[in-house]
Amino acid sequence: MKVIVLGAGVIGVSTAYELACDGHDVTVVDRQDAVAQETSFANGGQLSFNHGPLAQPGTVRKAIKWLGKKDAPLLYRLRMDPQLWSWTLKFMACCSEPQYFNNIEHMLRLSLYARERLHQTLEREEIAFSHMRTGIMTLYGDDRDFGLAREHAVALRELGSERQIMDRAGCLETEPALQHSASPIVGATLSASDESGDCRAFTEALAESCKKRGAQFQLGTDITGLKREDWQIKCVQTDQGDIEGDVYVMALGSYSPLFLHSLGLNVPIYPAKGYSVTVPVKDDEGAPKMSLTSYDHKLVFSRLGNKLRIAGMLEFGGYDTELDEERARVVLNNVMKLFPRGLETGHAEFWTGLRPQTPDSIPVVGRGAQENLVINTGHGMLGWTMALGTARIAADLAGHKAPEIDINALGWERFA
């Protein structure tokens, strides 16, 4: 069976890999000249399998407090954008405590399956990507936030989440580089089974494994539309001509809803702009050796060899991909509060990209309205974390197999 995968980020490449392993004839189409050139290029580097949804109790209160502040972790660029306001109303409905626990249950089921699939893939393939399996520690500087985190950690254990509670002394013992922090630390949660690494290096290596299995990559090809006839996708229209297949997989991240809308599907995925900074380590003792999350600053930290990747910020302003250096430097300034001695800030590399965010932080994975369309998109900040799990589900659906896990509440129908 010939399968056309739209998108060559970590989601598209992972899906292509699973399809190629199943013996399908696979072609990956992307406008960029190489894989992992957009959202997967320089993300936070975390494989955060125990991560919760963006929408949670208290988020709206903080978002209102941050309105109008250019250095805020979350920035709304106020504009006449019906898509954003519709998305925001759905997001706010997800912030109640019952909905939060309902959403995190679905996320955990998918993320833990993705971890299993990732480890199976790494047993088959030799992939070098600065992989670390030292866990992820989330730092809290506010007693109220830390108190809520403790309560949630207890409740989430019943859902399979693995979060240990640590006081300040435990934080400093686990990551000694925090001893020089100028930011307050009152405690942390530790997800010991979480991991980190370089998403782009992983995607590039996995693409080579796809090619060895016969998959083709038609890169530098701009997708202009999808032609349908009745309840079938007939072909993908591109600036290089039409591309025909038996099944089509939508994995275009933030741009997926633009094409799905033309097929009659209004899927609430909104581009959430994020920033990252990659900084050389100058003092090994002054830089973190494990992956961290700062709850106060809304930043993540991942050690990639002799460099530190810091990523974060949320910016809702449409499809603007211009790097706002002032916003990017907020990331750098905040990391220097935590690790003032360890980094060579004069050689910092800035990057920005669009995360495909759903209101409930759960990706859209399932069949489309057309019989030969499979959707695998909307992973938000957890694209790499969930990639191998949703890829396996998409490959099973493309091959008319029943997925290994329950995919209830993952499809676009939940928004219909």
Side-chain angles (χ1 to χ4, degrees):
M1 183 169 62
K2 185 172 184 179
V3 185
I4 310 301
V5 178
L6 309 180
V10 67
I11 302 301
V13 171
S14 297
T15 305
Y17 174 78
E18 294 290 347
L19 288 163
C21 288
D22 288 351
H24 297 299
D25 178 0
V26 183
T27 298
V28 181
V29 185
D30 196 279
R31 65 183 178 182
Q32 298 293 343
D33 293 327
V35 303
Q37 292 300 295
E38 297 196 28
T39 305
S40 304
F41 185 81
N43 72 4
Q46 289 189 338
L47 289 159
S48 186
F49 305 109
N50 291 278
H51 200 284
L54 178 63
Q56 53 186 274
T59 299
V60 174
R61 172 178 54 83
K62 290 187 176 182
I64 293 173
K65 183 179 67 174
W66 289 329
L67 283 175
K69 296 183 178 180
K70 187 67 181 290
D71 61 348
L74 188 153
L75 177 64
Y76 260 75
R77 295 196 179 277
L78 298 177
R79 55 209 291 270
M80 292 302 296
D81 186 346
Q83 181 188 1
L84 175 58
W85 299 122
S86 174
W87 183 95
T88 301
L89 289 174
K90 292 181 175 66
F91 175 83
M92 292 173 66
C94 292
C95 288
S96 69
E97 191 162 277
Q99 194 62 46
Y100 166 76
F101 282 106
N102 181 64
N103 290 337
I104 201 171
E105 180 179 4
H106 296 309
M107 292 178 67
L108 280 170
R109 181 174 72 248
L110 184 54
S111 293
L112 297 180
Y113 176 61
R115 181 175 65 186
E116 177 185 335
R117 296 299 309 178
L118 172 64
H119 293 168
Q120 291 174 4
T121 300
L122 295 179
E123 289 176 2
R124 290 193 301 267
E125 308 291 340
E126 292 187 8
I127 300 179
F129 60 105
S130 301
H131 190 201
M132 295 180 66
R133 301 180 68 171
T134 53
I136 296 175
M137 185 163 62
T138 301
L139 307 172
Y140 295 86
D142 178 83
D143 286 317
R144 178 179 177 180
D145 290 334
F146 185 43
L148 287 173
R150 288 198 305 266
E151 293 176 10
H152 286 174
V154 173
L156 293 174
R157 287 193 192 113
E158 297 181 8
L159 301 178
S161 177
E162 307 163 5
R163 300 188 190 183
Q164 305 170 30
I165 305 299
M166 308 178 71
D167 59 14
R168 174 181 168 79
C171 296
L172 302 185
E173 181 180 356
T174 304
E175 180 48 78
L178 289 169
Q179 294 176 5
H180 309 296
S181 172
S183 291
I185 299 172
V186 299
T189 59
L190 174 65
S191 300
S193 62
D194 283 349
E195 306 169 26
S196 62
D198 188 330
C199 178
R200 175 163 56 117
F202 175 86
T203 307
E204 290 170 346
L206 196 64
E208 292 303 313
S209 296
C210 290
K211 293 174 184 177
K212 292 176 182 177
R213 287 170 168 76
Q216 299 180 25
F217 286 76
Q218 189 166 328
L219 303 176
T221 301
D222 196 10
I223 299 167
T224 58
L226 297 171
K227 185 177 181 180
R228 60 173 174 166
E229 288 185 3
D230 298 323
W231 293 101
Q232 294 278 327
I233 303 295
K234 182 67 175 179
C235 67
V236 180
Q237 299 168 313
T238 79
D239 61 349
Q240 305 295 321
D242 293 347
I243 303 173
E244 295 186 357
D246 300 308
V247 176
Y248 302 82
V249 179
M250 174 60 66
L252 288 171
S254 296
Y255 298 91
S256 298
L258 304 181
F259 293 96
L260 293 174
H261 182 73
S262 70
L263 300 175
L265 288 182
N266 293 313
V267 181
I269 295 173
Y270 197 85
K273 189 175 184 179
Y275 293 82
S276 78
V277 183
T278 306
V279 190
V281 173
K282 69 176 181 180
D283 177 6
D284 195 57
E285 297 301 318
K289 296 179 175 62
M290 68 179 299
S291 188
L292 303 169
T293 296
S294 171
Y295 185 84
D296 294 1
H297 298 117
K298 300 297 184 287
L299 295 177
V300 302
F301 308 80
S302 294
R303 186 71 176 264
L304 306 177
N306 63 351
K307 295 184 177 182
L308 184 69
R309 170 74 50 76
I310 312 102
M313 313 292 275
L314 277 173
E315 191 171 308
F316 293 93
Y319 286 90
D320 172 29
T321 57
E322 291 296 316
L323 190 145
D324 184 333
E325 187 166 336
E326 183 179 350
R327 292 277 287 167
R329 289 200 173 276
V330 170
V331 176
L332 186 60
N333 293 339
N334 283 331
V335 74
M336 293 310 296
K337 294 176 184 177
L338 283 163
F339 306 107
R341 302 184 181 185
L343 305 175
E344 185 57 67
T345 57
H347 294 87
E349 300 174 5
F350 299 113
W351 173 87
T352 188
L354 302 178
R355 311 179 187 102
Q357 189 69 46
T358 60
D360 54 14
S361 296
I362 302 169
V364 180
V365 188
R367 296 192 183 281
Q370 285 69 36
E371 296 171 352
N372 61 342
L373 174 65
V374 175
I375 302 173
N376 187 13
T377 191
H379 296 69
M381 295 175 284
L382 297 178
W384 188 25
T385 295
M386 296 182 173
L388 272 298
T390 62
R392 185 61 256 168
I393 293 170
D396 285 337
L397 294 174
H400 302 285
K401 301 176 185 176
E404 297 175 332
I405 67 168
D406 179 12
I407 62 171
N408 178 47
L410 300 186
W412 60 269
E413 296 89 350
R414 70 184 189 268
F415 299 116

